[in-house]
Amino acid sequence: VPMPWTGTLRETIHIPGRHFSVGVDAVGTVPNLFARNERVVCVFASLEHGPFVMVLVGATIVGSMETVWHGVVNPKRTNKVSAWTYADQDILLKKGEEMGRFLLGSTIVMLFRPHSITFNEDWAPERPVRLGEPMGNRPT
């Protein structure tokens, strides 16, 4: 998973959950799918865009998620939320650098403050997004 923007890591939170498929059919039929599946929440601060969050969402067959600074994030299955802060470290990830990976692939949900970015106008539902393709830009 490449970093979309340069950002300093503030916190990582592992939230246990289910492993529903994140395919198009499941998204439309499983209520609150992205809030029910296992997640790794990475909170960043960016000089260019302010705070933003990358949420790695686990899915069917995706039992492991890892980050470049932590390794495998999924702790033993206790059904408790785990969190790590990095105030004592300076973890800076630059645009395009690897941020982490799914061991088999899944979905990422990005959260930004209102009006801090404009998304790529070419995006449409179910359209593939290619590695290196711009997600968006800072509004002018």
Side-chain angles (χ1 to χ4, degrees), residues 57-77:
V57 181
T60 304
I61 308 174
V62 181
S64 290
M65 294 171 271
E66 59 184 59
T67 63
V68 296
W69 61 87
H70 188 93
V72 174
V73 178
N74 320 44
K76 292 182 179 178
R77 305 288 185 216

Side-chain angles (χ1 to χ4, degrees), residues 4-83:
W5 288 278
T6 298
T8 301
L9 180 70
R10 296 295 184 221
E11 182 176 24
T12 302
I13 304 162
H14 173 261
I15 303 170
R18 302 287 305 268
H19 289 114
F20 291 112
S21 168
V22 293
V24 175
D25 293 338
V27 171
T29 59
V30 178
N32 301 311
L33 172 71
F34 295 114
R36 294 173 67 186
N37 275 12
E38 179 178 26
R39 285 148 289 149
V40 173
V41 179
C42 302
V43 181
F44 291 92
S46 167
L47 291 176
E48 186 177 9
H49 300 286
F52 67 92
V53 176
M54 292 179 73
V55 182
L56 287 69
V57 181
T60 304
I61 308 174
V62 181
S64 290
M65 294 171 271
E66 59 184 59
T67 63
V68 296
W69 61 87
H70 188 93
V72 174
V73 178
N74 320 44
K76 292 182 179 178
R77 305 288 185 216
T78 63
N79 290 327
K80 294 182 181 177
V81 173
S82 300

